[in-house]
Amino acid sequence: MADVKVIQTVSEMHRVADQIRADGLQIGLVPTMGFLHEGHLSLIGRARRCADRVVVSIFVNPTQFGPQEDLEAYPLDFERDRMLIGDFGGDLIYAPDAEEMYPEGYASYVDVEGLTRHLCGASRPGHFRGVTTVVTKLFAAVKPHVAIFGQKDAQQAAVIRRMAQDLNLDVEVLVSPTIREVDGLAKSSRNFYLSPEERQEASVLYQALQKAKCLVADGERRADVVIGEMRELIERRPLAQIDYIEAVDTADLQPMEEFSGEILLALAVQFGKARLIDNLVVHTA
Ligand code: PAF
C-alpha cells in the first residue's frame, strides 16, 4: 500500500501546499466526506491525470446537514479510505476535525443565490450554504489549481462553479460523470443504508431517468408529462418516497414547463434511511 500522508491542520496544509506550488507543481483537490466508493475513485483518477499532486479531503461537514438529517449516522472508515486513496493515486489526505474547521466563534458563511432555489436547495434548506462555505475553506487550505466534483451532485457542481467564478477563486472546477452499478443505481456512500429490498427497488431511479430520456427523444416537450411518467414509475415501488422530481434549465437551474435546449432531469427519493439523488442531462436538439 502506498503511504499517504495525512494532514489535519490548516497551518500544516498551507505549508505543504506552498511547498508544492514553490516547486512549480499543480495541485488537484478531490473534496469528499469519506466512505469512498468507485465514484470518488474515478474523481481521484481524473485529478491524477490533470495535476502533479492529488489531495483528497475527508471531512463530514456538519454545516451542510439539517437537524433531522444523517450527520450522526454518516458512515466512516478512515483506514479503508486511506488505503484506497493510496492505491488509486492520491498523494495526501487533508482531514481536519470539526474544531479545526469551525473553531469557537466561527461566524462566516458563503451563499450562492438563484442556483440554490430549487431541487435540493428547496428540500434541504441551508444545505448549499454549508457546502459552499466548506468548499471555500477547503480551497483556501489546499490552494488547488483544479478541483474535481461528481455529476451525481449536479446542482452542487453548478453552485460551486458559480461560486468560484463570482468570487474570483483561482481554481478550475471540473465535473466527472456519474459512476453506476450494473443495474444503473448511481454509486453513493448513502447506498450503504439500503436494506436488500430497498437496494433492489432503488434501480427504479435510473429506469425513471431513462424513461424520461426516451420520451424526450420521441419528441415529448411537456415537463409535466415527462415528470408525471417518472413519478408513476417510481410510485409503483412501495418502499420509495419521492422528495422531488424536477426538470430545470442546465444554465440557471430554474424549472422549465416546455423543454428546449439542455435540460437537467433531477430527482431525490427516500428509501428507508437513505435519501438518494440522481440526474440526467437531456437535449431537445
Ligand atoms: O459531495 C460531497 O461529498 C460534499 O458535499 C463536499 C463537496 C465534500 C462538501 O462537504
Side-chain angles (χ1 to χ4, degrees):
M1 176 187 116
D3 195 18
V4 184
K5 185 177 159 78
V6 180
I7 297 175
Q8 290 179 296
T9 63
V10 178
S11 57
E12 171 73 349
M13 191 63 245
H14 279 166
R15 199 188 58 71
V16 172
D18 287 344
Q19 186 58 57
I20 297 171
R21 282 180 164 255
D23 292 341
L25 301 175
Q26 299 272 314
I27 302 175
L29 170 66
V30 179
T32 82
M33 298 204 299
F35 208 68
L36 304 185
H37 51 72
E38 286 90 334
H40 295 114
L41 302 179
S42 82
L43 305 185
I44 296 172
R46 177 104 183 257
R48 182 77 275 158
R49 291 191 294 281
C50 56
D52 304 300
R53 293 288 178 271
V54 175
V55 180
V56 179
S57 64
I58 299 181
F59 179 64
V60 183
N61 174 36
T63 64
Q64 70 187 75
F65 288 79
Q68 310 302 327
E69 294 183 357
D70 58 341
L71 173 62
E72 299 305 329
Y74 202 82
L76 294 169
D77 192 339
F78 188 80
E79 280 317 313
R80 179 176 162 275
D81 289 347
R82 186 179 187 174
M83 198 182 69
L84 286 170
I85 290 167
D87 288 350
F88 283 81
D91 299 300
L92 290 166
I93 297 174
Y94 178 48
D97 64 16
E99 183 56 28
E100 180 73 6
M101 232 4 156
Y102 301 110
E104 183 81 26
Y106 188 88
S108 303
Y109 293 88
V110 179
D111 230 331
V112 174
E113 298 177 351
L115 293 179
T116 56
R117 194 169 304 136
H118 295 279
L119 311 171
C120 288
S123 60
R124 300 182 72 188
H127 168 68
F128 285 114
R129 182 177 187 255
V131 170
T132 43
T133 299
V134 81
V135 171
T136 304
K137 289 173 68 64
L138 292 170
F139 285 178
V142 177
K143 307 186 184 189
H145 297 82
V146 58
I148 326 282
F149 296 86
Q151 172 66 20
K152 182 177 77 68
D153 298 287
Q155 186 177 21
Q156 169 172 280
V159 167
I160 289 167
R161 221 178 223 156
R162 178 84 255 163
M163 173 187 82
Q165 193 180 324
D166 289 352
L167 301 183
N168 310 118
L169 305 179
D170 194 14
V171 185
E172 187 183 3
V173 174
L174 297 180
V175 183
S176 280
T178 303
I179 305 295
R180 298 182 179 281
E181 304 284 356
V182 279
D183 64 355
L185 178 66
K187 302 257 183 186
S188 164
S189 304
R190 288 187 168 100
N191 293 351
F192 170 78
Y193 297 139
L194 296 168
S195 69
E197 298 74 24
E198 289 161 352
R199 169 64 190 85
Q200 209 178 0
E201 287 198 3
S203 61
V204 75
L205 305 189
Y206 183 67
Q207 290 159 18
L209 290 167
Q210 289 303 312
K211 174 156 199 174
K213 186 179 173 180
C214 291
L215 288 167
V216 176
D218 288 346
E220 183 56 71
R221 297 290 176 262
R222 293 163 298 175
D224 59 340
V225 172
V226 173
I227 291 171
E229 294 275 344
M230 294 171 77
R231 182 173 290 279
E232 204 260 319
L233 191 64
I234 294 172
E235 280 176 349
R236 277 191 230 153
R237 306 300 163 122
L239 303 176
Q241 277 189 299
I242 297 172
D243 178 352
Y244 68 76
I245 305 175
E246 282 194 68
V248 297
D249 191 321
T250 54
D252 58 7
L253 303 191
Q254 300 308 306
M256 302 181 93
E257 284 179 15
E258 194 75 19
F259 289 168
S260 70
E262 207 176 63
I263 304 114
L264 176 73
L265 290 158
L267 45 76
V269 177
Q270 193 85 32
F271 284 92
K273 281 188 280 174
R275 180 181 177 279
L276 304 183
I277 59 172
D278 201 354
N279 66 80
L280 198 68
V281 174
V282 295
H283 308 258
T284 53

